[in-house]
Amino acid sequence: MVTHMASSRMTTAFWGCTFLGFLVFVGIGFISTNMYENSMPSSNWAPPHKMPNRKFSGTRGEEICDVKQNFVFVKVHKAGGTTATCIFQRFGYEHNLTFVLPMKINSEVGWPNILKREDFIPSADGTFNVLVDHTVYHRKLLDHIMPPDTVYIAILRHPLAQLRSVFNGYGLAKRFPELKGVDPVASFLKDPEKYQIPYVTKSKAPYTLSKNFMAYDLGFPPGLFDDRSSVDEFVQKIAREIDLVLILEHFSESLVLLRRMMCWTLKDILYNVSPKNLKEYRKPTTENASLVEAHRRWSNVDYILYDYFNATLWQKIQDENNDFHQEVRHFENVLQSMTTNCTKANVTPVSTWEVNNAAGRQTIPRTAWHDQFDIDPHLCLKLKMEWQDWEYVLKKKHVHRPMVKNGTDIVKSTIQYTRPKILDQTLLSNVFNITSEQDV
């Protein structure tokens, strides 16, 4: 658990000195049929994709590639990671994959510390396919857990938008009365050192929610924020080790690249367009340039990461040639149509959802990028599920039986007391064949 160095009510001077002390300590020590037809290329056209792992043959350019099922998603805080996680959880469930699941009753595998074996529930045979919960990225440790052919994926968001989400999600403005104005983030950035709140991990390494938080999740140590050579080396290391960095501001493009890289289907990357973990808060229509520059100076590593991988994303898109944007438009059309149809199947309360009725049923015709597939109420439900629901289902379906028979009391307790958010017992039984609490 996160341990505060001291109460947030303590004086600003204390926090400033404490945080500087921590930095010294750590030293050098890491989203109608006509619309489908309009977005579909001609039937005799073979798409000139360049993504690795993919080849094409036949008059329609059918895809021939190996589906990637071993992957790690570095879930960066407040960067759209929960939406992406739900995509990955659904894919893993549908393909009966084994997840690295947290021993805690939350979405953290070791975070904010470096992960250890005690942080996750052991699998039945000692092997894993997927890790998607919050963890501090550490490649050597992950290589000891994951298969050699694991694909590594991460996500980033514009740092100022991420900071606003952090302020909202963690209630940072409430800790300082001076920051409760119209724009507490702007007030914070006038003198960020004054309001800085450091935390300390169990291993005594400091971290902060309001400065280079994305870099911390990717494994960069706070003590090196001002060392430009270390920052540059770190960015190049991440570029070598992470196969694809999704960018939240270009989520559709990111997901289509992901689909191509992983040899997944378009159905695999569908998601609920309603934001996950949403807490409403006031957002400016546009950001003031001087405010962005002030934040860039304060959270320098996050900006260097974002600028680099945003540019990298667009270079990958450029390499995809001219059918890529057609597929993105098609994907967005399917999302829009799916959302409309799934809304028809959305009955409140959820327990009255009739999964066998006609509402929400839809057939997506074949295109050059995918075969024909159906959207039905079962899929609509799975798209509506929150990460807590998936965590519950995955723990029950993938690890609970061997663990209950042979596991320790703490493993049994973790599985027993994780609670879903929207699923009730009727849906658990009808859709996932989880019949009762005794079926753990």
Side-chain angles (χ1 to χ4, degrees):
M1 298 293 292
V2 174
T3 305
H4 290 276
M5 281 297 298
S7 170
S8 60
R9 297 180 180 274
M10 298 192 70
T11 65
T12 297
F14 176 83
W15 281 122
C17 293
T18 303
F19 183 64
L20 291 173
F22 280 146
L23 295 184
V24 173
F25 176 83
V26 78
I28 60 173
F30 325 38
I31 165 165
S32 88
T33 301
N34 286 337
M35 70 170 61
Y36 305 128
E37 293 174 348
N38 292 338
S39 64
M40 195 174 90
S42 59
S43 60
N44 61 354
W45 180 81
H49 304 303
K50 293 184 178 180
M51 264 322 225
N53 184 43
R54 304 168 76 246
K55 297 179 181 178
F56 297 85
S57 66
T59 58
R60 288 181 60 90
E62 286 88 353
E63 204 168 45
I64 302 173
C65 55
D66 298 322
V67 177
K68 299 294 186 182
Q69 295 189 343
N70 297 323
F71 59 93
V72 167
F73 175 55
V74 184
K75 185 181 180 183
V76 171
H77 285 81
K78 300 303 176 183
T82 301
T83 297
T85 292
C86 290
I87 294 173
F88 297 136
Q89 289 172 316
R90 178 170 64 88
F91 179 90
Y93 172 82
E94 301 288 7
H95 292 81
N96 199 34
L97 303 181
T98 301
F99 283 72
V100 179
L101 294 168
M103 192 70 75
K104 296 179 180 179
I105 308 174
N106 57 20
S107 62
E108 298 168 357
V109 181
W111 192 94
N113 298 280
I114 301 299
L115 82 165
K116 308 180 299 297
R117 286 279 178 181
E118 308 90 90
D119 293 324
F120 54 90
I121 301 171
S123 68
D125 61 2
T127 63
F128 298 94
N129 306 110
V130 182
L131 193 163
V132 297
D133 288 298
H134 288 299
T135 192
V136 177
Y137 176 72
H138 190 296
R139 185 55 176 265
K140 287 186 177 180
L141 291 177
L142 291 170
D143 282 346
H144 284 290
I145 300 171
M146 304 301 297
D149 64 346
T150 296
V151 177
Y152 284 81
I153 306 157
I155 190 168
L156 293 172
R157 182 183 191 178
H158 189 281
L160 187 51
Q162 192 262 355
L163 178 64
R164 290 190 180 279
S165 185
V166 167
F167 258 69
N168 178 62
Y170 290 93
L172 296 188
K174 296 178 181 179
R175 304 184 187 190
F176 298 99
E178 307 97 304
L179 298 180
K180 290 183 179 179
V182 175
D183 190 348
V185 170
S187 299
F188 169 81
L189 289 173
K190 289 179 180 178
D191 189 2
E193 292 281 4
K194 177 180 178 181
Y195 304 106
Q196 180 70 343
I197 302 176
Y199 300 87
V200 63
T201 68
K202 291 180 181 178
S203 60
K204 308 304 180 185
Y207 73 99
T208 170
L209 302 176
S210 58
K211 183 175 185 178
N212 292 319
F213 194 13
M214 295 190 292
Y216 179 84
D217 282 341
L218 286 166
F220 192 78
L224 297 177
F225 286 164
D226 296 325
D227 187 331
R228 183 55 192 255
S229 63
S230 295
V231 173
D232 291 341
E233 182 180 344
F234 172 73
V235 172
Q236 292 303 315
K237 175 179 179 291
I238 296 299
R240 291 192 303 270
E241 296 180 359
I242 303 293
D243 297 282
L244 179 64
V245 177
L246 313 177
I247 299 295
L248 181 60
E249 285 76 14
H250 311 294
F251 200 49
S252 294
E253 292 86 350
S254 296
L255 290 179
V256 171
L257 277 174
L258 174 75
R259 186 202 76 74
R260 294 182 173 200
M261 180 181 75
M262 303 295 281
C263 195
W264 290 1
T265 69
L266 184 136
K267 185 177 180 179
D268 291 330
I269 60 171
L270 294 177
Y271 66 97
N272 183 2
V273 297
S274 297
K276 306 290 184 180
N277 277 351
L278 179 64
K279 294 182 180 179
E280 293 291 346
Y281 63 101
R282 182 180 299 176
K283 304 176 187 177
T285 305
T286 57
E287 293 288 6
N288 181 281
S290 61
L291 189 64
V292 174
E293 285 306 309
H295 188 226
R296 183 182 291 273
R297 291 190 297 271
W298 171 248
S299 204
N300 59 316
V301 187
D302 278 1
Y303 275 89
I304 293 171
L305 283 166
Y306 181 82
D307 291 345
Y308 183 93
F309 287 104
N310 185 42
T312 299
L313 177 80
W314 288 102
Q315 182 60 57
K316 291 178 183 290
I317 290 171
Q318 183 177 345
D319 291 344
E320 285 293 296
N321 282 343
N322 57 7
D323 84 306
F324 180 84
H325 296 287
Q326 287 180 287
E327 183 176 353
V328 171
R329 288 195 298 271
H330 173 68
F331 173 54
E332 292 175 337
N333 287 339
V334 173
L335 275 178
Q336 180 182 3
S337 181
M338 176 211 72
T339 300
T340 300
N341 279 273
C342 284
T343 301
K344 297 176 182 177
N346 187 2
V347 180
T348 304
V350 177
S351 60
T352 64
W353 196 317
E354 175 52 66
V355 296
N356 294 316
N357 66 22
R361 294 189 179 276
Q362 178 184 15
T363 296
I364 306 300
R366 175 177 174 155
T367 72
W369 307 292
H370 60 79
D371 291 331
Q372 174 177 306
F373 66 91
D374 292 329
I375 295 173
D376 59 21
H378 276 166
L379 177 59
C380 292
L381 172 64
K382 291 173 182 176
L383 294 172
K384 184 181 176 67
M385 288 166 58
E386 303 282 352
W387 70 264
Q388 296 94 328
D389 300 287
W390 282 116
E391 201 90 355
Y392 182 90
V393 169
L394 291 170
K395 285 182 176 180
K396 299 294 188 214
K397 299 296 287 188
H398 290 294
V399 301
H400 72 278
R401 295 187 189 279
M403 290 304 102
V404 168
K405 291 178 180 178
N406 304 311
T408 64
D409 289 341
I410 190 170
V411 170
K412 296 176 185 178
S413 176
T414 299
I415 297 169
Q416 179 75 21
Y417 293 109
T418 300
R419 287 289 179 261
K421 189 171 182 180
I422 71 165
L423 295 177
D424 62 13
Q425 192 54 58
T426 300
L427 291 171
L428 286 167
S429 177
N430 293 347
V431 179
F432 298 101
N433 199 30
I434 297 174
T435 57
S436 68
E437 285 300 314
Q438 287 69 43
D439 189 32
V440 298

